[in-house]
Amino acid sequence: MKAPIRIMRNSPRTLVYSAMGPMLALALASSASGQEVFPPERDPTLREAIEPNDPTLPRERPTYRDTEAQEDLPGRPQRSNTNFATPRPLSDPRLNYPGRRKQAKKPLPRVEPYTSAPSAVRQDYVPPQNPPPPTYAQPAQIPRPSRPKLDETPYAPLGVQIGSLRLFPFVENSLGFDTNVNRLPILARGSTFDRLDAGFRAQSNWSVHELTADVTGAYTKFFSMPDADRPEGAGKINLRLDATRETKVNLELRGSLTTQRPGSPEFNVVATSRPAILSYGATAGVTHAIGRLETTVSALYDRTAYQDGHLSNGTVVPLSQNNFNQFGLRGRIGYELTPGVKPFVEVTADARERDVAVDAAGFSRNSTGLTLRGGSSFELTRTLTGEISGGMVSRKYADARLPELRGPTIDASLIWTASPLTTVTLRAATVANETTIPNASGYISRRASVEVNHALLRNLTVSGIAQWQRDQYQGVALSQDIFTGTMEAEYALTRSIVVKGSFTHERLKSSVPGSDYTANVYLLGLRLQR
């Protein structure tokens, strides 16, 4: 049997045959040599030399093995003296002829839908049931109690619920000592005293509308100077009615009670008691919002009544002739630039009419006034809230001998929360007041104060208050400055019992010689609140 002819890649005959096509090359090679010619994929010698592990090649065994020829084949791994690190045979480019069958690839994994896909949910799927309870005794599971929420104000009063109103009443009794009871420049006398305070705050819990109230009253009794006993009080009640989403009706009732100090410019006599001054009034207004624009129109009424003074010789000083009524109209326009800043412009016109048109000195003190203010309200991330404004006040009197009362105004009420434990409050106010001094039309009182509150403990709070007030008379050369400094401390035993202590230093400096005075007040009290 004749050995088969192997077609070598680099032989001249192979190059000629390959150019004529693979099938024609095999036929011509076989007829020319008279021997059997194998294609490269069936050559038993090249099968193991090129791809020894190729399952697509036929598994015929060669009749002989030409070792040297096989070692010369390209892609055949070279022999090594070691039996490890044998390189993987490379693919022979002679196998890349047209019509060669490609090797079968590993099939791709089966495509399965996601478990959450609708096609993956079976209609007959039944979720597993809870396992049956055990058949043996088990100890009872004790639930872990939830951690209680921290109360940010553990010593604040809770109040009393009365219907839909929350009421916060309080009663306070204090003992103290005043070094200058009547605020005299010379021959100052001090006395111990007892002070009783009472009052309440109220807040509504309505879904619409709102009602707030803050009323306080006090009475001070001096043990060694009964003629200096005096009452004090102040109150304000506000009601907001929400007519529509954009329209609101605002109602306010207010009142105050104080006394006149003997030796003051308004009551420069020695009396057996302190005459009282009662002021009360009301405001009714409507606020309407159009987008960010807000307009308010209000009507005002106030009355001030003076009590007659009594001298030691029985003479009556007719201070009640100075009673007067005040009627006013106020307009305000504000625009909300941002949710926390709302600038505004406000105009107030009023008229004051006295019960007695001409006073004891022969002056007609009926007057009309005009106040212009411009400012803004603030609410910056709950850190700075309040309102500040500035403007001008002017008041003209019916008597031509009285000069016009006018001057700049500054009003402010700002609360700055410096930290969760510290709060700073700034207040300022300007008021045009009446007087009975001959040739003086009135005086403008400007008052400013700064208050700092700091919580050393949850139940211990200390406060410092500095206040300055200046009264400037127009028509006469008279002015006076009052400086007041106060230090307070409050220690809460419980929500309902608070111990308080304070020290106040007061000093007056007047342009009139011999009118200055200094007073110190010490106070220690107990407060009951609910």
Side-chain angles (χ1 to χ4, degrees):
M1 180 178 180
K2 297 181 182 180
I5 297 177
R6 292 177 296 172
I7 302 177
M8 305 304 295
R9 180 177 181 182
N10 297 326
S11 62
R13 185 183 297 178
T14 304
L15 296 176
V16 176
Y17 290 164
S18 61
M20 300 173 60
M23 300 304 296
L24 182 59
L26 292 176
L28 293 177
S30 178
S31 60
S33 61
Q35 299 179 0
E36 183 179 3
V37 180
F38 292 94
E41 63 178 1
R42 295 191 60 189
D43 190 345
T45 305
L46 297 179
R47 183 186 60 79
E48 292 187 359
I50 300 175
E51 294 183 5
N53 299 323
D54 191 352
T56 60
L57 297 178
R59 310 305 296 175
E60 295 88 347
R61 293 293 180 182
T63 55
Y64 69 97
R65 183 179 300 272
D66 189 356
T67 305
E68 296 179 359
Q70 293 178 4
E71 292 176 355
D72 296 335
L73 291 176
R76 178 72 176 183
Q78 301 296 325
R79 290 187 178 183
S80 176
N81 297 328
T82 60
N83 57 356
F84 59 89
T86 302
R88 184 177 179 181
L90 303 175
S91 59
D92 195 334
R94 291 178 297 175
L95 298 179
N96 298 330
Y97 62 89
R100 182 179 180 271
R101 184 176 57 182
K102 296 183 179 180
Q103 300 180 4
K105 296 182 179 180
K106 185 178 180 179
L108 297 175
R110 180 182 178 183
V111 178
E112 296 182 358
Y114 293 103
T115 56
S116 59
S119 59
V121 180
R122 296 175 53 185
Q123 300 296 333
D124 56 347
Y125 174 74
V126 179
Q129 302 296 330
N130 295 330
T135 57
Y136 55 90
Q138 286 187 341
Q141 299 293 334
I142 301 177
R144 174 181 292 182
S146 59
R147 179 177 297 180
K149 295 183 179 180
L150 182 62
D151 190 356
E152 297 182 357
T153 56
Y155 292 93
L158 299 177
V160 180
Q161 190 70 28
I162 302 178
S164 59
L165 293 178
R166 176 69 69 172
L167 191 66
F168 300 88
F170 74 92
V171 177
E172 181 179 338
N173 191 17
S174 305
L175 295 176
F177 180 79
D178 193 336
T179 60
N180 189 355
V181 177
N182 286 323
R183 304 298 188 264
L184 299 177
I186 57 176
L187 302 178
R189 294 179 56 188
S191 173
T192 57
F193 64 90
D194 178 69
R195 180 184 175 92
L196 180 64
D197 295 79
F200 68 90
R201 293 186 300 107
Q203 176 67 51
S204 64
N205 297 326
W206 305 335
S207 58
V208 293
H209 317 308
E210 184 183 25
L211 174 65
T212 59
D214 190 358
V215 179
T216 59
Y219 187 83
T220 304
K221 181 177 179 57
F222 293 89
F223 297 122
S224 59
M225 301 181 64
D227 57 345
D229 297 347
R230 56 181 180 267
E232 296 178 21
K236 184 181 292 187
I237 300 176
N238 295 91
L239 175 62
R240 190 197 73 227
L241 301 177
D242 300 330
T244 63
R245 184 177 179 181
E246 295 80 13
T247 305
K248 299 177 178 59
V249 179
N250 302 310
L251 303 176
E252 179 182 280
L253 295 176
R254 55 186 174 272
S256 65
L257 176 64
T258 185
T259 58
Q260 293 195 67
R261 176 179 61 86
S264 64
E266 307 300 328
F267 189 56
N268 194 10
V269 296
V270 178
T272 58
S273 61
R274 290 193 171 194
I277 303 176
L278 177 63
S279 299
Y280 55 90
T283 300
V286 178
T287 301
H288 183 71
I290 305 176
R292 295 188 175 185
L293 184 65
E294 186 177 83
T295 59
T296 303
V297 178
S298 304
L300 302 90
Y301 168 77
D302 290 278
R303 176 169 176 80
T304 303
Y306 297 88
Q307 183 183 11
D308 292 339
H310 298 273
L311 304 182
S312 58
N313 57 5
T315 305
V316 177
V317 182
L319 299 178
S320 57
Q321 296 180 358
N322 301 325
N323 298 349
F324 66 90
N325 299 320
Q326 178 173 323
F327 307 89
L329 187 64
R330 177 185 300 163
R332 176 167 175 164
I333 299 178
Y335 184 80
E336 186 179 15
L337 291 179
T338 64
V341 179
K342 183 185 295 185
F344 66 88
V345 176
E346 183 178 283
V347 180
T348 303
D350 64 84
R352 292 177 180 175
E353 296 183 1
R354 292 178 174 263
D355 295 350
V356 179
V358 181
D359 62 1
F363 291 91
S364 177
R365 295 189 174 273
N366 293 337
S367 62
T368 58
L370 181 65
T371 304
L372 301 177
R373 292 198 309 141
S376 177
S377 60
F378 297 90
E379 188 176 355
L380 305 178
T381 64
R382 300 292 181 179
T383 302
L384 181 63
T385 59
E387 180 178 298
I388 185 171
S389 64
M392 181 68 67
V393 61
S394 174
R395 180 163 296 280
K396 296 182 179 181
Y397 291 85
D399 198 320
R401 294 174 296 174
L402 298 176
E404 180 182 1
L405 180 65
R406 62 182 305 172
T409 65
I410 298 178
D411 300 274
S413 178
L414 299 176
I415 299 177
W416 176 41
T417 305
S419 69
L421 303 178
T422 306
T423 304
V424 181
T425 304
L426 173 64
R427 293 185 177 92
T430 304
V431 181
N433 294 317
E434 297 291 323
T435 185
T436 57
I437 300 177
N439 299 320
S441 57
Y443 67 96
I444 297 179
S445 178
R446 297 181 177 89
R447 183 174 59 255
S449 65
V450 177
E451 180 178 355
V452 180
N453 298 325
H454 182 72
L456 296 177
L457 301 173
R458 286 182 174 271
N459 58 340
L460 178 58
T461 304
V462 295
S463 305
I465 306 173
Q467 179 175 323
W468 168 79
Q469 178 178 340
R470 181 176 180 83
D471 298 335
Q472 182 68 48
Y473 289 79
Q474 295 191 7
V476 295
L478 175 60
S479 64
Q480 56 184 12
D481 296 312
I482 303 175
F483 303 93
T484 305
T486 304
M487 293 295 297
E488 295 182 353
E490 294 186 3
Y491 183 77
L493 301 177
T494 64
R495 288 184 181 269
S496 302
I497 303 176
V498 181
V499 179
K500 301 181 61 177
S502 65
F503 166 74
T504 302
H505 176 76
E506 182 178 343
R507 181 185 297 270
L508 180 140
K509 186 175 181 59
S510 176
S511 59
V512 178
S515 300
D516 301 348
Y517 71 82
T518 301
N520 296 319
V521 181
Y522 306 88
L523 199 64
L524 180 63
L526 183 67
R527 179 188 181 102
L528 302 178
Q529 58 189 11
R530 186 70 174 89

